[in-house]
Amino acid sequence: MAELHPDNPYEKDRFPDLTKVVVFPPDAKARFDHILTRYPNKEAALLPTLHLAQEVWGWISPEVVHYVGSLLDLSPATVFGVVSFYNMYNQKPVGKYHLQVCTNLSCMVSNAYDIYDHLCAKLNIKPGETTKDGMYTVTEVECLGSCGTAPVVQVNNDYHENMDVAQMDALLPKLK
Protein backbone atom coordinates (compact mmCIF):
# COMPACT_ATOMS: atom_id res chain seq x y z
CA MET A 1 0.00 0.00 0.00
CA ALA A 2 1.30 3.47 -0.86
CA GLU A 3 2.53 5.72 1.93
CA LEU A 4 1.22 9.22 2.39
CA HIS A 5 3.86 11.95 2.35
CA PRO A 6 2.24 15.36 2.85
CA ASP A 7 3.99 18.29 1.24
CA ASN A 8 6.13 20.46 3.47
CA PRO A 9 4.59 23.96 3.52
CA TYR A 10 8.07 25.44 3.90
CA GLU A 11 9.63 23.92 0.78
CA LYS A 12 11.41 26.53 -1.34
CA ASP A 13 9.14 25.89 -4.33
CA ARG A 14 6.14 27.01 -2.27
CA PHE A 15 7.34 30.62 -2.33
CA PRO A 16 7.01 32.82 -5.41
CA ASP A 17 9.94 34.00 -7.45
CA LEU A 18 8.95 37.63 -7.70
CA THR A 19 11.25 38.09 -10.70
CA LYS A 20 8.92 35.84 -12.72
CA VAL A 21 6.05 37.82 -14.14
CA VAL A 22 2.88 35.99 -15.08
CA VAL A 23 0.11 37.74 -16.98
CA PHE A 24 -2.87 36.29 -18.78
CA PRO A 25 -2.43 36.36 -22.56
CA PRO A 26 -4.97 38.65 -24.29
CA ASP A 27 -7.53 35.91 -25.02
CA ALA A 28 -7.41 34.62 -21.42
CA LYS A 29 -7.60 38.19 -20.09
CA ALA A 30 -10.77 38.69 -22.15
CA ARG A 31 -12.20 35.49 -20.67
CA PHE A 32 -11.26 36.68 -17.17
CA ASP A 33 -13.01 40.01 -17.79
CA HIS A 34 -16.12 38.09 -18.84
CA ILE A 35 -15.92 35.91 -15.71
CA LEU A 36 -16.02 39.06 -13.57
CA THR A 37 -19.34 40.09 -15.15
CA ARG A 38 -20.97 36.86 -13.95
CA TYR A 39 -20.33 37.34 -10.21
CA PRO A 40 -21.51 39.89 -7.64
CA ASN A 41 -17.95 40.67 -6.47
CA LYS A 42 -14.37 39.79 -7.35
CA GLU A 43 -13.92 37.25 -4.54
CA ALA A 44 -16.80 35.18 -5.88
CA ALA A 45 -14.87 34.79 -9.16
CA LEU A 46 -11.91 33.05 -7.49
CA LEU A 47 -12.69 29.44 -8.47
CA PRO A 48 -13.36 30.10 -12.17
CA THR A 49 -10.32 32.39 -12.32
CA LEU A 50 -8.16 29.61 -10.89
CA HIS A 51 -9.61 27.18 -13.46
CA LEU A 52 -8.71 29.63 -16.20
CA ALA A 53 -5.20 30.09 -14.81
CA GLN A 54 -4.67 26.34 -14.66
CA GLU A 55 -5.92 26.03 -18.23
CA VAL A 56 -3.39 28.66 -19.32
CA TRP A 57 -0.33 27.51 -17.34
CA GLY A 58 -1.18 23.86 -16.53
CA TRP A 59 -0.78 24.37 -12.79
CA ILE A 60 -1.12 27.00 -10.09
CA SER A 61 2.41 28.14 -9.27
CA PRO A 62 3.15 30.48 -6.35
CA GLU A 63 3.56 33.26 -8.93
CA VAL A 64 0.08 32.53 -10.29
CA VAL A 65 -1.30 32.62 -6.72
CA HIS A 66 0.04 36.16 -6.36
CA TYR A 67 -1.18 37.19 -9.82
CA VAL A 68 -4.71 35.89 -9.25
CA GLY A 69 -4.76 37.56 -5.85
CA SER A 70 -3.79 40.89 -7.40
CA LEU A 71 -6.50 40.56 -10.06
CA LEU A 72 -9.20 39.83 -7.48
CA ASP A 73 -7.96 42.08 -4.64
CA LEU A 74 -7.31 39.01 -2.46
CA SER A 75 -4.30 38.16 -0.35
CA PRO A 76 -2.00 35.40 -1.59
CA ALA A 77 -2.88 33.52 1.62
CA THR A 78 -6.58 33.54 0.70
CA VAL A 79 -5.87 32.32 -2.84
CA PHE A 80 -3.43 29.66 -1.63
CA GLY A 81 -5.95 28.51 0.98
CA VAL A 82 -8.41 27.75 -1.81
CA VAL A 83 -5.78 26.18 -4.09
CA SER A 84 -4.54 23.91 -1.33
CA PHE A 85 -8.05 22.93 -0.22
CA TYR A 86 -9.27 21.58 -3.57
CA ASN A 87 -7.51 18.69 -5.29
CA MET A 88 -8.69 19.98 -8.68
CA TYR A 89 -5.92 22.60 -8.65
CA ASN A 90 -2.45 21.32 -9.45
CA GLN A 91 0.19 22.82 -7.18
CA LYS A 92 3.00 21.30 -9.23
CA PRO A 93 3.38 20.68 -12.96
CA VAL A 94 1.66 17.49 -14.10
CA GLY A 95 1.90 15.29 -17.17
CA LYS A 96 -0.33 15.47 -20.21
CA TYR A 97 -2.51 12.87 -18.48
CA HIS A 98 -3.06 13.39 -14.78
CA LEU A 99 -4.16 10.04 -13.33
CA GLN A 100 -5.84 10.72 -9.99
CA VAL A 101 -6.73 7.59 -8.06
CA CYS A 102 -9.29 8.00 -5.30
CA THR A 103 -8.26 6.07 -2.21
CA ASN A 104 -10.99 7.17 0.17
CA LEU A 105 -12.96 4.50 2.01
CA SER A 106 -15.28 3.20 -0.73
CA CYS A 107 -12.50 3.14 -3.30
CA MET A 108 -9.94 1.73 -0.87
CA VAL A 109 -12.11 -1.28 0.04
CA SER A 110 -12.71 -1.78 -3.70
CA ASN A 111 -8.96 -2.22 -4.30
CA ALA A 112 -8.03 1.31 -5.39
CA TYR A 113 -4.54 0.82 -3.97
CA ASP A 114 -4.05 -2.10 -6.35
CA ILE A 115 -4.68 0.31 -9.23
CA TYR A 116 -2.54 3.04 -7.69
CA ASP A 117 0.43 0.79 -6.98
CA HIS A 118 0.12 -0.89 -10.39
CA LEU A 119 0.12 2.45 -12.23
CA CYS A 120 3.25 3.61 -10.40
CA ALA A 121 5.02 0.32 -11.11
CA LYS A 122 3.91 0.11 -14.75
CA LEU A 123 4.91 3.72 -15.46
CA ASN A 124 8.10 3.35 -13.40
CA ILE A 125 7.41 6.41 -11.24
CA LYS A 126 6.87 7.11 -7.57
CA PRO A 127 3.55 8.51 -6.34
CA GLY A 128 3.15 12.13 -7.39
CA GLU A 129 5.86 11.93 -10.04
CA THR A 130 5.59 12.46 -13.77
CA THR A 131 6.98 10.05 -16.36
CA LYS A 132 10.18 11.15 -18.09
CA ASP A 133 8.31 11.74 -21.35
CA GLY A 134 5.89 14.09 -19.57
CA MET A 135 2.88 11.97 -20.47
CA TYR A 136 1.60 10.71 -17.09
CA THR A 137 1.42 11.87 -13.50
CA VAL A 138 -0.09 9.54 -10.89
CA THR A 139 -1.50 11.02 -7.70
CA GLU A 140 -3.58 9.77 -4.83
CA VAL A 141 -6.65 11.86 -4.06
CA GLU A 142 -8.87 11.81 -1.03
CA CYS A 143 -12.35 11.71 -2.55
CA LEU A 144 -13.76 12.17 -6.02
CA GLY A 145 -17.37 11.87 -4.85
CA SER A 146 -18.14 8.75 -6.84
CA CYS A 147 -18.48 6.27 -3.98
CA GLY A 148 -21.29 4.33 -5.61
CA THR A 149 -19.07 3.47 -8.58
CA ALA A 150 -15.84 2.82 -6.68
CA PRO A 151 -13.03 2.59 -7.43
CA VAL A 152 -12.76 5.69 -9.57
CA VAL A 153 -9.81 7.17 -11.44
CA GLN A 154 -9.99 10.70 -12.79
CA VAL A 155 -7.94 11.23 -15.95
CA ASN A 156 -7.62 14.99 -16.40
CA ASN A 157 -11.31 15.98 -16.13
CA ASP A 158 -12.87 12.62 -17.04
CA TYR A 159 -14.06 10.03 -14.52
CA HIS A 160 -13.44 6.33 -15.11
CA GLU A 161 -15.60 4.37 -12.69
CA ASN A 162 -15.73 0.76 -11.49
CA MET A 163 -12.07 0.47 -12.46
CA ASP A 164 -9.63 -2.35 -11.92
CA VAL A 165 -6.04 -3.04 -12.93
CA ALA A 166 -7.00 -4.69 -16.23
CA GLN A 167 -9.24 -1.77 -17.22
CA MET A 168 -6.43 0.69 -16.41
CA ASP A 169 -4.05 -1.32 -18.58
CA ALA A 170 -6.58 -1.14 -21.41
CA LEU A 171 -7.13 2.61 -20.91
CA LEU A 172 -3.49 3.74 -20.90
CA PRO A 173 -2.77 3.04 -24.62
CA LYS A 174 -5.95 4.90 -25.59
CA LEU A 175 -4.67 8.06 -23.92
CA LYS A 176 -1.67 8.49 -26.21
Side-chain angles (χ1 to χ4, degrees):
M1 182 167 1
E3 305 247 348
L4 291 177
H5 298 284
D7 290 336
N8 178 346
Y10 301 106
E11 288 179 11
K12 282 188 262 180
D13 65 354
R14 292 270 189 162
F15 295 94
D17 176 351
L18 298 177
T19 64
K20 290 183 183 175
V21 178
V22 294
V23 178
F24 278 137
D27 61 322
K29 179 64 167 81
R31 289 174 59 196
F32 167 73
D33 291 339
H34 177 71
I35 287 169
L36 288 179
T37 67
R38 299 176 55 217
Y39 293 91
N41 57 51
K42 286 183 173 182
E43 185 174 10
L46 179 55
L47 295 178
T49 302
L50 287 169
H51 280 294
L52 176 61
Q54 185 162 281
E55 183 181 316
V56 170
W57 290 293
W59 66 296
I60 307 296
S61 68
E63 295 80 18
V64 171
V65 166
H66 278 257
Y67 176 62
V68 168
S70 71
L71 288 173
L72 299 175
D73 300 326
L74 299 171
S75 73
T78 299
V79 177
F80 181 72
V82 170
V83 169
S84 62
F85 179 78
Y86 292 105
N87 63 20
M88 63 190 157
Y89 299 117
N90 303 321
Q91 296 180 54
K92 294 182 179 178
V94 295
K96 181 177 179 182
Y97 298 104
H98 189 189
L99 310 172
Q100 300 172 81
V101 182
C102 177
T103 56
N104 211 331
L105 187 60
S106 295
C107 290
M108 181 186 66
V109 299
S110 299
N111 301 315
Y113 277 112
D114 291 349
I115 297 167
Y116 185 66
D117 293 339
H118 176 75
L119 281 171
C120 290
K122 182 177 182 83
L123 298 172
N124 196 29
I125 57 175
K126 293 179 182 168
E129 288 184 345
T130 301
T131 55
K132 288 179 180 157
D133 62 2
M135 290 293 288
Y136 304 103
T137 301
V138 177
T139 56
E140 176 180 12
V141 293
E142 217 12 68
C143 184
L144 292 172
S146 190
C147 301
T149 56
V152 64
V153 177
Q154 183 175 343
V155 180
N156 297 343
N157 293 321
D158 298 325
Y159 274 29
H160 297 270
E161 300 164 318
N162 299 306
M163 292 300 288
D164 60 30
V165 169
Q167 289 172 313
M168 275 312 309
D169 280 346
L171 177 62
L172 285 176
K174 295 176 185 175
L175 298 177
K176 293 185 178 194

